[in-house]
Amino acid sequence: MPSRTINLHLVSDSTGETLNSIARATLSRFEDAHVIHHRWSLIRSRLQLDRVLEGIEAEQGPVLFTLVDRSLRLALEEHCQRLHIEHLSPLEPVMELLQTAIGAQAREKRGAQHVMDADYFRRIDAMHYVLAHDDGQGTAGIAEADVCIVGVSRSSKTPTCFYLANRGIKAANVPLVPGAPLPMELEAAPCPVIGLHIETNALIEIRRHRLKLIGGHGVHHDVTDYVDHEAVKAEIQAARRLCTKFGWPVIDVTRRSIEETAATVLQLMEAWHARRGVRAQDPPRSIDPASTVLALEAGGG
């Protein structure tokens, strides 16, 4: 049965990023949901809130809100109650739980997660690093990397690195090109090196789309290996063998979103540091780490 269309109001006194993330994460669980988003950000005065209340009354639907100012919050809640509109401050239950656990009251501060503190500048620095070390650039800077992402062309290395940079991770992106030597810096990288694997047919489809975007209809015969099935298959297998040779774990990104890939990268980074911090004297593992990760992927782990 098709879902009915609803209005969803997201009311925030800051950027609204938190509410957008919550709405996106929850609505993804509803197939064929028809939701009209009404985003009200930087609502910090009664005059601004009055416009919001008019909008909610005109196009009624559930309201999610994050408002630090108590008077604004009460006015919004009273308005919703009068109209019998469902409303919720999704951070309140979490805040109450943490206040109980920590034994202290939370500060009433708008957009506290967006302040320009050390963490903010760390993310900016990581973004600059990714820009300077994308697609094999500046291999000498690998010594400064938190993680190195390797893989064949168009295996989602760049978007994964940028997503990690937003978490403050300096991620170097090194392509594995058939016939090209591996950067010496990568062989002795002082950080985890993680390979991205993608199935042959999926990679060919991505590359064909890429060629169309850049006007690839007139490509020369000598570059058709870029989308030739056997050539691409051999390229992927060579990349796998290289990862196996150096003991680099591999993530199958064929059916993964960038967010899922980045989350797995962070897990593998933690495991890498744990092995060196807790079991630094352990002998090397004799099994193929790439096969282990890919087997987990195949099993849905």
Short mmCIF file of all heavy atoms in Angstrom, two decimals, residues 105-152:
data_model
loop_
_atom_site.label_atom_id
_atom_site.label_comp_id
_atom_site.label_asym_id
_atom_site.label_seq_id
_atom_site.Cartn_x
_atom_site.Cartn_y
_atom_site.Cartn_z
N GLN A 105 24.79 18.98 34.85
CA GLN A 105 23.86 19.52 33.89
C GLN A 105 24.60 19.93 32.61
O GLN A 105 25.72 20.43 32.65
CB GLN A 105 23.16 20.76 34.46
CG GLN A 105 22.14 20.43 35.56
CD GLN A 105 20.95 19.68 35.00
OE1 GLN A 105 20.72 18.52 35.34
NE2 GLN A 105 20.18 20.34 34.15
N ALA A 106 23.96 19.70 31.47
CA ALA A 106 24.54 20.11 30.19
C ALA A 106 24.45 21.62 30.04
O ALA A 106 23.54 22.27 30.55
CB ALA A 106 23.80 19.43 29.04
N ARG A 107 25.42 22.20 29.34
CA ARG A 107 25.39 23.64 29.07
C ARG A 107 24.30 23.97 28.06
O ARG A 107 24.06 23.18 27.14
CB ARG A 107 26.73 24.09 28.51
CG ARG A 107 27.90 24.03 29.48
CD ARG A 107 29.17 24.47 28.76
NE ARG A 107 29.45 23.59 27.62
CZ ARG A 107 30.25 23.91 26.61
NH1 ARG A 107 30.80 25.11 26.56
NH2 ARG A 107 30.48 23.06 25.63
N GLU A 108 23.66 25.07 28.23
CA GLU A 108 22.69 25.53 27.24
C GLU A 108 23.43 26.39 26.22
O GLU A 108 23.57 27.60 26.39
CB GLU A 108 21.56 26.31 27.90
CG GLU A 108 20.68 25.44 28.79
CD GLU A 108 19.38 26.13 29.16
OE1 GLU A 108 19.24 27.32 28.84
OE2 GLU A 108 18.52 25.48 29.78
N LYS A 109 23.93 25.74 25.17
CA LYS A 109 24.76 26.43 24.19
C LYS A 109 24.36 25.98 22.78
O LYS A 109 24.36 24.80 22.48
CB LYS A 109 26.24 26.10 24.44
CG LYS A 109 27.20 26.85 23.51
CD LYS A 109 28.63 26.53 23.87
CE LYS A 109 29.60 27.28 22.98
NZ LYS A 109 31.01 26.97 23.29
N ARG A 110 24.01 26.96 21.95
CA ARG A 110 23.59 26.63 20.59
C ARG A 110 24.78 26.16 19.76
O ARG A 110 25.87 26.71 19.84
CB ARG A 110 23.00 27.86 19.89
CG ARG A 110 21.76 28.43 20.51
CD ARG A 110 21.19 29.50 19.60
NE ARG A 110 20.07 30.20 20.21
CZ ARG A 110 20.13 31.41 20.74
NH1 ARG A 110 21.28 32.04 20.74
NH2 ARG A 110 19.07 31.97 21.27
N GLY A 111 24.53 25.14 18.90
CA GLY A 111 25.54 24.70 17.95
C GLY A 111 26.88 24.40 18.58
O GLY A 111 27.93 24.68 18.00
N ALA A 112 26.85 23.79 19.77
CA ALA A 112 28.12 23.55 20.48
C ALA A 112 29.06 22.66 19.67
O ALA A 112 30.28 22.74 19.81
CB ALA A 112 27.83 22.89 21.83
N GLN A 113 28.48 21.80 18.82
CA GLN A 113 29.34 20.91 18.04
C GLN A 113 29.98 21.61 16.86
O GLN A 113 30.81 21.02 16.16
CB GLN A 113 28.53 19.70 17.54
CG GLN A 113 27.53 19.99 16.42
CD GLN A 113 26.18 20.42 16.94
OE1 GLN A 113 26.09 21.14 17.93
NE2 GLN A 113 25.13 19.99 16.27
N HIS A 114 29.63 22.86 16.59
CA HIS A 114 30.17 23.57 15.43
C HIS A 114 31.20 24.63 15.80
O HIS A 114 31.61 25.40 14.94
CB HIS A 114 29.03 24.23 14.64
CG HIS A 114 27.99 23.26 14.18
ND1 HIS A 114 28.28 22.19 13.37
CD2 HIS A 114 26.65 23.19 14.42
CE1 HIS A 114 27.17 21.51 13.12
NE2 HIS A 114 26.18 22.09 13.75
N VAL A 115 31.62 24.69 17.05
CA VAL A 115 32.56 25.72 17.46
C VAL A 115 33.92 25.49 16.81
O VAL A 115 34.29 24.37 16.47
CB VAL A 115 32.73 25.77 19.00
CG1 VAL A 115 31.42 26.15 19.67
CG2 VAL A 115 33.23 24.43 19.53
N MET A 116 34.69 26.58 16.62
CA MET A 116 36.00 26.48 15.99
C MET A 116 37.05 26.14 17.05
O MET A 116 37.84 26.99 17.47
CB MET A 116 36.34 27.77 15.25
CG MET A 116 35.49 27.98 14.02
SD MET A 116 36.09 29.29 12.93
CE MET A 116 35.80 30.71 13.99
N ASP A 117 37.02 24.90 17.51
CA ASP A 117 37.98 24.44 18.51
C ASP A 117 39.07 23.62 17.82
O ASP A 117 39.19 23.61 16.60
CB ASP A 117 37.27 23.62 19.59
CG ASP A 117 36.49 22.44 18.99
OD1 ASP A 117 36.61 22.19 17.77
OD2 ASP A 117 35.76 21.78 19.74
N ALA A 118 39.88 22.94 18.61
CA ALA A 118 40.99 22.16 18.06
C ALA A 118 40.48 21.07 17.11
O ALA A 118 41.10 20.79 16.09
CB ALA A 118 41.80 21.54 19.20
N ASP A 119 39.34 20.48 17.44
CA ASP A 119 38.78 19.43 16.60
C ASP A 119 38.36 19.99 15.25
O ASP A 119 38.55 19.36 14.20
CB ASP A 119 37.57 18.79 17.30
CG ASP A 119 37.02 17.61 16.52
OD1 ASP A 119 37.77 16.64 16.31
OD2 ASP A 119 35.85 17.67 16.11
N TYR A 120 37.80 21.19 15.25
CA TYR A 120 37.40 21.84 14.00
C TYR A 120 38.61 22.05 13.09
O TYR A 120 38.59 21.72 11.90
CB TYR A 120 36.74 23.18 14.32
CG TYR A 120 36.47 24.04 13.10
CD1 TYR A 120 35.33 23.86 12.33
CD2 TYR A 120 37.37 25.04 12.73
CE1 TYR A 120 35.09 24.66 11.21
CE2 TYR A 120 37.14 25.84 11.63
CZ TYR A 120 36.00 25.65 10.87
OH TYR A 120 35.76 26.43 9.77
N PHE A 121 39.69 22.60 13.66
CA PHE A 121 40.87 22.87 12.85
C PHE A 121 41.56 21.57 12.42
O PHE A 121 42.22 21.52 11.37
CB PHE A 121 41.84 23.77 13.61
CG PHE A 121 41.35 25.18 13.72
CD1 PHE A 121 40.87 25.68 14.91
CD2 PHE A 121 41.32 26.01 12.60
CE1 PHE A 121 40.39 26.98 15.01
CE2 PHE A 121 40.84 27.31 12.68
CZ PHE A 121 40.38 27.80 13.89
N ARG A 122 41.41 20.52 13.20
CA ARG A 122 41.95 19.22 12.80
C ARG A 122 41.23 18.70 11.55
O ARG A 122 41.86 18.17 10.64
CB ARG A 122 41.80 18.22 13.96
CG ARG A 122 42.38 16.84 13.66
CD ARG A 122 42.50 16.03 14.94
NE ARG A 122 41.21 15.89 15.60
CZ ARG A 122 40.36 14.90 15.36
NH1 ARG A 122 40.63 13.98 14.47
NH2 ARG A 122 39.22 14.83 16.02
N ARG A 123 39.91 18.90 11.49
CA ARG A 123 39.15 18.48 10.31
C ARG A 123 39.55 19.31 9.08
O ARG A 123 39.68 18.77 7.98
CB ARG A 123 37.65 18.59 10.57
CG ARG A 123 37.14 17.64 11.63
CD ARG A 123 35.63 17.47 11.56
NE ARG A 123 34.92 18.73 11.67
CZ ARG A 123 34.55 19.29 12.81
NH1 ARG A 123 34.86 18.70 13.96
NH2 ARG A 123 33.88 20.42 12.84
N ILE A 124 39.73 20.61 9.27
CA ILE A 124 40.15 21.47 8.15
C ILE A 124 41.53 21.05 7.66
O ILE A 124 41.78 20.97 6.45
CB ILE A 124 40.16 22.95 8.59
CG1 ILE A 124 38.74 23.42 8.94
CG2 ILE A 124 40.74 23.82 7.47
CD1 ILE A 124 37.75 23.32 7.80
N ASP A 125 42.44 20.77 8.59
CA ASP A 125 43.79 20.34 8.22
C ASP A 125 43.73 19.03 7.45
O ASP A 125 44.46 18.85 6.46
CB ASP A 125 44.63 20.19 9.50
CG ASP A 125 46.10 19.97 9.18
OD1 ASP A 125 46.59 20.55 8.21
OD2 ASP A 125 46.76 19.20 9.92
N ALA A 126 42.86 18.12 7.89
CA ALA A 126 42.72 16.84 7.20
C ALA A 126 42.17 17.03 5.79
O ALA A 126 42.58 16.34 4.85
CB ALA A 126 41.81 15.91 8.01
N MET A 127 41.26 17.98 5.63
CA MET A 127 40.70 18.25 4.31
C MET A 127 41.78 18.79 3.37
O MET A 127 41.86 18.37 2.21
CB MET A 127 39.55 19.25 4.42
CG MET A 127 38.68 19.34 3.19
SD MET A 127 37.75 17.81 2.88
CE MET A 127 36.55 17.88 4.23
N HIS A 128 42.61 19.69 3.86
CA HIS A 128 43.72 20.20 3.05
C HIS A 128 44.67 19.06 2.68
O HIS A 128 45.18 19.01 1.55
CB HIS A 128 44.48 21.28 3.82
CG HIS A 128 43.78 22.60 3.88
ND1 HIS A 128 43.35 23.28 2.76
CD2 HIS A 128 43.41 23.38 4.93
CE1 HIS A 128 42.77 24.40 3.10
NE2 HIS A 128 42.78 24.49 4.42
N TYR A 129 44.91 18.17 3.62
CA TYR A 129 45.81 17.04 3.35
C TYR A 129 45.26 16.16 2.23
O TYR A 129 45.99 15.78 1.31
CB TYR A 129 46.01 16.21 4.62
CG TYR A 129 46.93 15.02 4.40
CD1 TYR A 129 48.31 15.16 4.57
CD2 TYR A 129 46.42 13.79 4.01
CE1 TYR A 129 49.15 14.08 4.34
CE2 TYR A 129 47.26 12.71 3.78
CZ TYR A 129 48.62 12.87 3.94
OH TYR A 129 49.46 11.80 3.71
N VAL A 130 43.97 15.85 2.30
CA VAL A 130 43.36 14.99 1.28
C VAL A 130 43.44 15.65 -0.09
O VAL A 130 43.72 14.98 -1.10
CB VAL A 130 41.89 14.67 1.65
CG1 VAL A 130 41.16 14.02 0.48
CG2 VAL A 130 41.85 13.75 2.87
N LEU A 131 43.20 16.94 -0.16
CA LEU A 131 43.30 17.65 -1.43
C LEU A 131 44.71 17.57 -2.01
O LEU A 131 44.89 17.44 -3.23
CB LEU A 131 42.91 19.12 -1.24
CG LEU A 131 41.42 19.41 -1.07
CD1 LEU A 131 41.20 20.84 -0.60
CD2 LEU A 131 40.67 19.17 -2.38
N ALA A 132 45.71 17.63 -1.14
CA ALA A 132 47.10 17.61 -1.60
C ALA A 132 47.62 16.21 -1.89
O ALA A 132 48.65 16.07 -2.54
CB ALA A 132 47.99 18.28 -0.55
N HIS A 133 46.90 15.19 -1.43
CA HIS A 133 47.38 13.82 -1.59
C HIS A 133 46.34 12.93 -2.26
O HIS A 133 46.24 11.74 -1.99
CB HIS A 133 47.78 13.23 -0.24
CG HIS A 133 48.90 13.98 0.43
ND1 HIS A 133 48.69 15.14 1.14
CD2 HIS A 133 50.24 13.76 0.46
CE1 HIS A 133 49.85 15.59 1.60
NE2 HIS A 133 50.80 14.78 1.20
N ASP A 134 45.55 13.52 -3.13
CA ASP A 134 44.52 12.76 -3.84
C ASP A 134 45.10 12.12 -5.10
O ASP A 134 45.91 12.73 -5.81
CB ASP A 134 43.36 13.69 -4.23
CG ASP A 134 42.22 12.93 -4.90
OD1 ASP A 134 41.89 11.84 -4.42
OD2 ASP A 134 41.70 13.43 -5.90
N ASP A 135 44.72 10.89 -5.36
CA ASP A 135 45.07 10.18 -6.59
C ASP A 135 46.58 10.11 -6.82
O ASP A 135 47.08 10.35 -7.91
CB ASP A 135 44.40 10.86 -7.79
CG ASP A 135 44.22 9.90 -8.96
OD1 ASP A 135 44.15 8.68 -8.71
OD2 ASP A 135 44.17 10.37 -10.10
N GLY A 136 47.31 9.78 -5.74
CA GLY A 136 48.75 9.56 -5.87
C GLY A 136 49.60 10.80 -5.80
O GLY A 136 50.83 10.72 -5.95
N GLN A 137 49.01 11.97 -5.57
CA GLN A 137 49.80 13.19 -5.46
C GLN A 137 50.58 13.23 -4.14
O GLN A 137 50.10 12.75 -3.12
CB GLN A 137 48.90 14.43 -5.52
CG GLN A 137 48.09 14.57 -6.79
CD GLN A 137 47.23 15.82 -6.74
OE1 GLN A 137 47.71 16.92 -6.92
NE2 GLN A 137 45.94 15.64 -6.48
N GLY A 138 51.74 13.84 -4.18
CA GLY A 138 52.50 14.09 -2.95
C GLY A 138 52.76 12.85 -2.14
O GLY A 138 52.51 12.82 -0.94
N THR A 139 53.30 11.79 -2.79
CA THR A 139 53.53 10.53 -2.06
C THR A 139 54.52 10.70 -0.92
O THR A 139 54.51 9.91 0.03
CB THR A 139 54.02 9.45 -3.02
OG1 THR A 139 55.16 9.94 -3.76
CG2 THR A 139 52.93 9.04 -4.00
N ALA A 140 55.39 11.72 -1.01
CA ALA A 140 56.34 11.95 0.09
C ALA A 140 55.60 12.28 1.39
O ALA A 140 56.11 12.04 2.48
CB ALA A 140 57.29 13.08 -0.28
N GLY A 141 54.38 12.80 1.27
CA GLY A 141 53.61 13.17 2.45
C GLY A 141 52.92 11.99 3.11
O GLY A 141 52.20 12.18 4.11
N ILE A 142 53.10 10.79 2.59
CA ILE A 142 52.48 9.60 3.20
C ILE A 142 52.93 9.43 4.64
O ILE A 142 52.20 8.90 5.48
CB ILE A 142 52.81 8.34 2.36
CG1 ILE A 142 51.96 8.34 1.08
CG2 ILE A 142 52.56 7.06 3.15
CD1 ILE A 142 52.25 7.20 0.13
N ALA A 143 54.13 9.92 4.95
CA ALA A 143 54.64 9.81 6.32
C ALA A 143 53.75 10.55 7.32
O ALA A 143 53.77 10.25 8.51
CB ALA A 143 56.07 10.37 6.38
N GLU A 144 52.96 11.51 6.83
CA GLU A 144 52.09 12.28 7.71
C GLU A 144 50.67 11.72 7.76
O GLU A 144 49.83 12.22 8.51
CB GLU A 144 52.01 13.73 7.23
CG GLU A 144 53.35 14.42 7.09
CD GLU A 144 53.22 15.74 6.37
OE1 GLU A 144 52.10 16.29 6.34
OE2 GLU A 144 54.23 16.23 5.83
N ALA A 145 50.38 10.70 6.94
CA ALA A 145 49.02 10.19 6.82
C ALA A 145 48.59 9.40 8.05
O ALA A 145 49.42 8.76 8.74
CB ALA A 145 48.90 9.32 5.58
N ASP A 146 47.30 9.44 8.33
CA ASP A 146 46.72 8.58 9.37
C ASP A 146 46.34 7.22 8.78
O ASP A 146 46.28 6.21 9.49
CB ASP A 146 45.46 9.23 9.96
CG ASP A 146 45.79 10.53 10.68
OD1 ASP A 146 46.76 10.55 11.45
OD2 ASP A 146 45.07 11.52 10.46
N VAL A 147 46.05 7.21 7.47
CA VAL A 147 45.69 5.97 6.78
C VAL A 147 45.95 6.18 5.29
O VAL A 147 45.86 7.31 4.79
CB VAL A 147 44.21 5.60 7.02
CG1 VAL A 147 43.27 6.65 6.44
CG2 VAL A 147 43.88 4.23 6.45
N CYS A 148 46.31 5.11 4.58
CA CYS A 148 46.48 5.15 3.13
C CYS A 148 45.41 4.26 2.50
O CYS A 148 45.26 3.11 2.90
CB CYS A 148 47.86 4.67 2.72
SG CYS A 148 49.19 5.78 3.17
N ILE A 149 44.68 4.81 1.56
CA ILE A 149 43.65 4.06 0.85
C ILE A 149 44.17 3.75 -0.55
O ILE A 149 44.55 4.66 -1.29
CB ILE A 149 42.34 4.87 0.75
CG1 ILE A 149 41.87 5.31 2.14
CG2 ILE A 149 41.27 4.06 0.04
CD1 ILE A 149 41.51 4.18 3.07
N VAL A 150 44.21 2.47 -0.90
CA VAL A 150 44.71 2.06 -2.22
C VAL A 150 43.62 1.29 -2.96
O VAL A 150 42.72 0.71 -2.35
CB VAL A 150 45.98 1.19 -2.10
CG1 VAL A 150 47.08 1.94 -1.37
CG2 VAL A 150 45.68 -0.13 -1.38
N GLY A 151 43.73 1.28 -4.27
CA GLY A 151 42.75 0.56 -5.08
C GLY A 151 42.86 0.97 -6.53
O GLY A 151 43.55 1.93 -6.87
N VAL A 152 42.18 0.24 -7.39
CA VAL A 152 42.19 0.57 -8.82
C VAL A 152 41.39 1.84 -9.06
O VAL A 152 40.67 2.32 -8.17
CB VAL A 152 41.59 -0.60 -9.64
CG1 VAL A 152 42.41 -1.86 -9.46
CG2 VAL A 152 40.13 -0.84 -9.27
#
